[in-house]
Every structure is written in structure tokens, then in C-alpha cells.
């Protein structure tokens, strides 16, 4: 069951922002090439997924992992991305670890809180709930299951 | 993280009728450009990955790396296309600049015929 390519495009606003930041100030891009670049990004991603999956299957693994994607980049001759992607992965892991530890710490703190009134915490709690919801969503989305 | 997100309050990417998305709040840069977290919505990346019938599962890290790779790809192809526009002494990227870049750069060969 294939979805039409339009459904799999990235939001125009985000693509435009990425393009504008890559180019110098004063450089514009008209609508047609911008949407073509957006489609190209989707094709790129489908291609990268295909190759990453190949590597996963070769390794007799089911879930695609980060190294499969890096191998795909090499296969597609985008070696120049690999260092940046490795850095990004490290930062992502650190960020996730930090968030997880912070939310676990807050949960422990909530458990400890007894009689002390802390009106200022209410704002933090709202933020916490948002973060926890995001965390839960992220945790639910651990693996993409077909 | 906005304490009160606009609209429904769920901090997910949302789409307007025209497909224009309310861009999710950009992730705070953690230093080097390579380390910046993804701007592309991960849910959309997941949808693309799921579109491949041979793929059954994909880890969170893989999804993130794919998103970041697609961003790098957009930056790269935009810059390469701009080189073509510069040669034409123009300040606006046009479709032909993109086509020229695709033809000129080996790594973009996989795009030929896919963007029409």
C-alpha cells in the first residue's frame, strides 16, 4: 500500500527555513524550486531508508539503527555528512539522557514533597506535564512498527 | 519549551489546510552546527520510513539521524543550486538551477527523473 508522494512531503515552512539559512542573505528562492527541493528531500529519505534497511537485513537485524543509516550515507556517496551526523547523534543521546534523568529526578522529588507549600512549583509542574507527555509520546514512538 | 502551546496545547507539529505546518519550536542548538537537533518533524520522517514495505521497525536514533541527514541534504542541494544561479548573476534560485545541480553533481544522480 503506497501513499501518494504529496502526503510524505515535509512542511514547506521548515524546508524554506533550512534553505534560507543555508544561503546568503538577500538570496531568494522561488516557489517551484523550493517545492522541488522538498520533494527531493523526500526521495532522499526514501532512498536512505531503502539502503539502511539493506544493511539491517544483511546484519540479520530488524529494527533500523543509526549505524545502518550511516552506512546508507556511505553507500549513497554522502560521506561528507557522516561526521556531522555522528556529532548530531552524540548530542541527541546526551539530550535524551539528560531529559530522562531530569524527569526521573522530578518524579522522585514529587514523591518526596509532603506538607511544604511551593506555589512557584505550579508553573514548573505544567511544564513538567508537557515534558512528560512528550517523553511518553517519544517512548511510545520508540520503534516504528509496520 | 512553551508552557502554553498555541492551539490545542499538544506540542506536536500541526498542519493548516494548505499543508503549511506550524513549525515546532526549534530545538536549542547545543553547540557545533552538526550537533543541532532536528528541525524536520520526526513524525513525518517516521511516516516516510513506514512507507517502505520492507521496513518493519526503526529505532528512534535511526529516525533522528535520517531527519538530520535530510536537513543536510536540503542545505547541500540548495547551496549547489545557488552556485549555478550565481554564475547567471541572479539572486533568485530558479528551477533550472536545481536541475543543473542535479545533472552536475554525481551524488544527486538518484534524483534524476523523480522531481517532475
Amino acid at each position: 500500500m503506497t501513499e501518494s508522494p504529496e502526503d510524505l512531503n515535509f512542511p514547506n515552512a521548515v524546508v524554506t527555513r533550512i534553505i534560507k539559512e543555508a544561503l546568503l542573505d538577500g538570496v531568494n528562492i522561488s516557489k517551484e524550486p523550493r517545492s522541488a527541493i522538498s520533494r527531493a528531500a523526500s526521495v532522499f529519505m526514501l532512498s536512505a531508508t531503502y539502503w539502511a534497511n539493506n544493511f539491517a537485513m544483511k546484519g540479520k537485524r530488524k529494527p533500523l539503527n543509526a549505524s545502518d543509516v550511516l552506512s546508507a550515507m556511505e553507500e549513497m556517496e554522502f560521506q561528507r555528512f557522516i561526521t556531522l551526523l555522528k556529532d548530531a547523534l552524540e548530542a541527541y543521546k546526551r539530550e535524551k539522557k539528560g531529559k530522562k534523568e531530569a524527569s526521573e529526578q522530578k518524579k522522585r522529588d514529587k514523591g518526596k514533597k509532603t506538607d511544604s507549600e511551593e506555589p512557584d512549583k505550579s508553573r514548573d509542574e505544567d511544564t513538567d506535564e508537557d515534558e512528560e507527555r512528550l517523553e511518553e509520546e517519544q517512548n511510545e514512538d520508540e520503534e516504528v512498527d509496520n | 519549551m512553551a508552557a502554553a502551546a498555541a492551539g490545542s496545547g499538544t506540542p506536536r507539529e500541526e498542519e493548516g489546510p494548505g499543508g503549511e505546518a506550524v513549525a515546532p519550536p526549534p530545538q536549542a542548538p547545543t553547540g557545533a552546527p552538526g550537533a543541532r537537533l532536528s528541525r524536520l518533524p520526526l513524525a513525518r520522517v517516521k511516516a516516510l520510513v513506514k512507507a517502505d514495505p520492507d521496513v518493519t521497525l526503526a529505532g528512534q536514533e535511526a529516525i533522528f539521524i535520517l531527519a538530520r541527514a535530510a536537513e543536510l541534504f536540503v542545505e547541500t542541494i540548495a547551496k549547489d543550486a545557488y552556485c549555478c544561479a550565481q554564475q547567471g548573476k541572479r539572486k533568485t534560485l530558479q528551477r533550472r538551477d536545481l536541475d543543473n545541480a542535479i545533472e552536475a553533481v554525481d551524488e544527486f544522480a538518484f534524483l534524476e527523473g523523480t522531481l517532475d
Side-chain angles (χ1 to χ4, degrees):
Chain A
M1 178 163 68
T2 44
E3 293 172 82
S4 92
E6 284 71 38
D7 298 331
L8 302 176
N9 270 341
F10 294 112
N12 280 332
V14 179
V15 174
T16 305
R17 187 148 34 108
I18 298 173
I19 294 172
K20 291 221 151 174
E21 289 191 10
L23 303 175
L24 301 170
D25 282 342
V27 177
N28 292 315
I29 180 163
S30 57
K31 193 175 169 191
E32 206 207 332
R34 187 199 63 205
S35 75
I37 288 181
S38 184
R39 285 200 301 285
S42 301
V43 174
F44 170 84
M45 185 151 299
L46 289 168
S47 187
T49 300
Y50 166 81
W51 285 112
N53 194 47
N54 266 8
F55 284 107
M57 290 200 297
K58 267 190 210 166
K60 303 209 161 116
R61 280 174 285 101
K62 278 249 177 110
L64 296 192
N65 62 27
S67 77
D68 294 326
V69 179
L70 292 175
S71 303
M73 292 299 108
E74 184 128 17
E75 186 70 34
M76 292 169 70
E77 296 182 26
F78 284 106
Q79 292 90 342
R80 50 179 144 168
F81 290 174
I82 291 180
T83 310
L84 286 170
L85 291 177
K86 282 185 178 169
D87 288 345
L89 183 60
E90 288 309 306
Y92 175 77
K93 285 183 189 173
R94 278 198 305 269
E95 182 91 7
K96 259 185 71 177
K97 192 176 171 201
K99 272 188 187 169
K100 193 176 175 189
E101 285 172 357
S103 92
E104 280 172 1
Q105 181 63 44
K106 279 171 184 163
K107 281 179 187 166
R108 282 196 292 271
D109 288 347
K110 276 185 194 172
K112 282 182 193 168
K113 193 173 72 171
T114 49
D115 301 322
S116 55
E117 282 182 351
E118 295 173 39
D120 290 339
K121 283 270 180 174
S122 62
R123 241 185 309 132
D124 290 335
E125 275 176 354
D126 285 343
T127 318
D128 286 349
E129 281 169 15
D130 281 344
E131 282 182 3
E132 281 180 17
R133 222 176 321 136
L134 241 194
E135 280 275 319
E136 283 167 8
E137 286 165 2
Q138 282 176 0
N139 287 338
E140 278 167 14
D141 295 336
E142 261 309 317
E143 289 171 337
V144 170
D145 198 341
N146 252 345
Chain B
M1 180 75 69
S8 65
T10 312
R12 281 184 194 258
E13 60 278 355
E14 291 176 11
E15 288 211 11
E20 294 287 326
V22 173
Q27 305 281 0
T30 49
R36 189 189 60 232
L37 300 182
S38 174
R39 270 191 281 222
L40 293 170
L42 295 187
R44 197 70 64 91
V45 175
K46 263 184 253 181
L48 272 161
V49 170
K50 278 176 107 166
D52 187 330
D54 292 330
V55 176
T56 48
L57 297 170
Q60 245 189 338
E61 287 177 1
I63 297 291
F64 167 73
I65 289 284
L66 278 169
R68 197 70 189 88
E71 257 192 78
L72 289 172
F73 171 80
V74 169
E75 287 172 15
T76 302
I77 200 169
K79 285 180 186 164
D80 285 346
Y82 179 57
C83 285
C84 296
Q86 263 189 321
Q87 283 163 17
K89 296 189 164 75
R90 280 179 285 108
K91 283 243 160 174
T92 301
L93 270 184
Q94 290 168 6
R95 176 60 196 259
R96 63 173 183 265
D97 301 316
L98 186 62
D99 292 335
N100 288 338
I102 289 173
E103 226 175 305
V105 180
D106 285 340
E107 291 94 316
F108 298 149
F110 73 98
L111 291 170
E112 279 169 16
T114 64
L115 302 185
D116 300 319

